[in-house]
Amino acid sequence: MQEFRTPGMQDVVLAEKSLADYESVVGEDILAELHRMAKPFQGARVVHISSTAYGGGVAEMLHTLIPLMRSAGLDASWRIISGTDEFFTVTKSMHNALQGMDLDLTPAMKAAYLHSNVDNSVYFEGNFDFVVVHDPQPAPLRMLRAGDGGKWIWRCHIDLTAANETYWSFLRPYVQAYDAAIFTMPEYVKKDLQIGKVAIVPPAIDPLSPKNAPMSDEDAARVVSLYGIDPTRPMLVQVSRFDPWKDPLGVIDVYRAVRQRFPEVQLVLVGSMAHDDPEGMEYYQRTKDYAEGDTDIHLLSNIDGVGNVEVNAIQRMATVVLQKSLREGFGLTISEGLWKGKPVIGGNVGGIPLQIQDGETGYLVTSIEECSKRTLELMRNPVRAQKMGERGREVVRQNFLSTANLRNYLRLFSDLTQTRSAARPRHARSAV
Ligand code: UDP
């Protein structure tokens, strides 16, 4: 992945991906359906706008969705907004407040937020059939570019159920300027949101990306050994940004409880440092302090060279995958773990129950005690753990692969262009 600077926003250079390669995973019928749905949008100009090309679930998904849109014949691209440090501090507060934290929103914070958005909007160039703006950071863009044509979609990846009212009422008018909004679950849609269309689309993982592609046990064992992890010993794994909502300290407590019964257990916490996440480094340090120098707790990040292939290997070597989040919009790491045939224990919050069928593909938990108990249960029953993982892989195959994500976007594009007089995108080369 590479980015280059243009004033305001940066274009993200993307790898090429071919839809045909996915046939072996999802079958020919799904591919035929995708091509049929994409036919009216050949050449349609689509731009996705987000705040980072690296770290976190949004970036993870766009690195696949956009190449697949291209492979389906759309003229799709991705731009990253720029912003001052102050802007990213404000947007992190916004993220936390929209997930339910009680935080202030001062006039200076509003000004910093709008200031960077104005900068980005002024340098925004091009005409598009569809502009998809991800999350709150660039949300005001639609209002700031009110004269632009095309259909504008706001994709919210956050669980808004407990959103701080001050922040939401500040954001709401910007969101209402869009033609449509996408949420992960119906529960996340605020009752007072007035918008032309709401679509419910769960996120998805790419089964062929370096993070999820097949890997032999030998290779996975070799990779984890490089990081001082013993592939022959049981291992608990959580892959998540260092963030209080992901509860890495709670995961350490779970590990400590499990260690009482399984002294040979190891814990691997992998967390990337996203550039739009100024709290990350600070929380990494807190987690490190909490680990108190325990050499069986492995704290790893992109700074140690842990990238997609390493995450793949670590998830494959896990005895149990944990995602003990206290809030979670969706949690791609859950589908990633299930796809690798691992049982996943997750917090019973947000989008996690959408992916984990309690007692079937893993467990949903609400406390450290419950999480420890379920982890022990799975460690004592490897056959059951394996069966759960296998079932989980099928749930992911049916619901949470990138091909389903592409289908959901195409369906929304179709819905948006079939309403009223605009029967097809303005710049589409052909239409059915
Ligand atoms: N991730 C990663 N390295 C890390 C931490 C996270 O590659 O050190 C990836 C992880 O595998 C997943 C994404 O970042 O694909 C996190 O997405 P998720 O939806 O779980 O959480 P978010 O960060 O969006 O809240």
Side-chain angles (χ1 to χ4, degrees), residues 14 48 61-71 76-78:
L14 291 149
H48 289 259
M61 270 187 293
L62 294 183
H63 276 289
T64 293
L65 176 65
I66 299 165
L68 290 190
M69 282 187 167
R70 288 179 179 175
S71 175
S77 57
W78 179 8

Side-chain angles (χ1 to χ4, degrees), residues 237-238 315 318-323 333-334 337 342-346:
V237 169
Q238 176 159 300
Q315 288 170 331
T319 313
V320 176
V321 169
L322 300 174
Q323 191 56 59
T333 51
I334 292 152
K342 301 295 166 181
V344 182
I345 300 180

Side-chain angles (χ1 to χ4, degrees), residues 11-12 14 38 40-49 62 65-70 72-79 124-134 150-153 182 406 409-410 412-414 416-417 425-428:
D11 284 326
V12 180
L14 291 149
F41 300 109
Q42 297 303 295
R45 289 178 296 176
V46 181
V47 65
H48 289 259
I49 297 170
L62 294 183
L65 176 65
I66 299 165
L68 290 190
M69 282 187 167
R70 288 179 179 175
L74 286 71
D75 179 6
S77 57
W78 179 8
R79 292 181 191 175
F124 183 74
E125 281 174 359
N127 293 308
F128 296 94
D129 299 300
F130 300 99
V131 182
V132 188
V133 174
H134 294 261
K151 298 290 179 187
W152 285 63
I153 299 161
I182 305 177
L406 175 62
Y409 270 94
L410 291 172
L412 176 60
F413 290 174
S414 174
L416 285 174
T417 48
R426 285 176 300 117
H427 303 286

Side-chain angles (χ1 to χ4, degrees), residues 5 28 36 44 65 113 172 176 200 310 332 354 363 395-396 407:
R5 279 201 84 68
E28 61 185 283
R36 185 184 54 73
L65 176 65
Y113 175 69
R172 189 163 63 98
Q176 290 182 169
I200 304 300
E310 290 81 3
L332 284 176
L354 205 62
Y363 289 110
V395 171
V396 174
R407 186 185 59 212

Side-chain angles (χ1 to χ4, degrees), residues 66-325:
I66 299 165
L68 290 190
M69 282 187 167
R70 288 179 179 175
S71 175
L74 286 71
D75 179 6
S77 57
W78 179 8
R79 292 181 191 175
I80 301 297
I81 55 167
S82 63
T84 57
D85 289 350
E86 202 184 348
F87 169 76
F88 286 116
T89 305
V90 173
T91 57
K92 190 67 210 267
S93 292
M94 187 173 271
H95 184 97
N96 286 335
L98 291 171
Q99 295 207 118
M101 268 191 198
D102 184 17
L103 297 171
D104 281 342
L105 179 59
T106 64
M109 290 168 81
K110 290 181 185 174
Y113 175 69
L114 292 176
H115 183 74
S116 285
N117 268 291
V118 167
D119 275 359
N120 284 298
S121 78
V122 166
Y123 292 109
F124 183 74
E125 281 174 359
N127 293 308
F128 296 94
D129 299 300
F130 300 99
V131 182
V132 188
V133 174
H134 294 261
D135 276 341
Q137 297 93 331
L141 271 183
R142 182 19 162 181
M143 198 182 269
L144 293 166
R145 302 286 313 181
D148 288 9
K151 298 290 179 187
W152 285 63
I153 299 161
W154 185 61
R155 199 325 176 192
C156 178
H157 297 269
I158 302 175
D159 173 355
L160 294 182
T161 30
N164 173 309
E165 200 42 50
T166 309
Y167 276 83
W168 171 244
S169 46
F170 172 64
L171 192 64
R172 189 163 63 98
Y174 301 117
V175 174
Q176 290 182 169
Y178 286 79
D179 297 291
I182 305 177
F183 294 89
T184 298
M185 294 172 71
E187 293 82 349
Y188 295 0
V189 186
K190 299 300 288 180
K191 292 213 165 43
D192 58 358
L193 176 66
Q194 290 173 9
I195 193 158
K197 178 153 188 69
V198 166
I200 304 300
V201 176
I205 64 162
D206 181 348
L208 302 183
S209 71
K211 183 172 288 169
N212 299 308
M215 182 186 286
S216 71
D217 286 351
E218 295 72 33
D219 283 344
R222 250 194 308 277
V223 172
V224 302
S225 305
L226 285 176
Y227 291 91
I229 302 163
D230 184 346
T232 64
R233 287 165 52 195
M235 191 195 300
L236 309 181
V237 169
Q238 176 159 300
V239 179
S240 275
R241 289 178 294 105
F242 289 104
D243 178 306
W245 299 111
K246 308 285 186 181
D247 200 17
L249 307 189
V251 173
I252 292 179
D253 289 338
V254 170
Y255 153 82
R256 287 188 172 135
V258 170
R259 197 181 48 179
Q260 311 274 317
R261 306 292 169 88
F262 286 87
E264 71 279 25
V265 73
Q266 311 165 87
L267 173 64
V268 185
L269 288 171
V270 188
S272 59
M273 309 288 175
H275 95 271
D276 65 342
D277 183 7
E279 275 174 9
M281 195 53 94
E282 191 187 319
Y283 213 73
Y284 170 84
Q285 193 53 48
R286 257 188 88 177
T287 311
K288 196 166 173 202
D289 294 344
Y290 200 68
E292 292 175 339
D294 183 335
T295 51
D296 283 328
I297 300 180
H298 301 271
L299 246 64
L300 299 168
S301 80
N302 49 317
I303 294 167
D304 304 294
V306 175
N308 292 329
V309 175
E310 290 81 3
V311 168
N312 190 343
I314 290 167
Q315 288 170 331
R316 278 177 200 285
M317 283 287 108
T319 313
V320 176
V321 169
L322 300 174
Q323 191 56 59
K324 218 204 125 321
S325 306

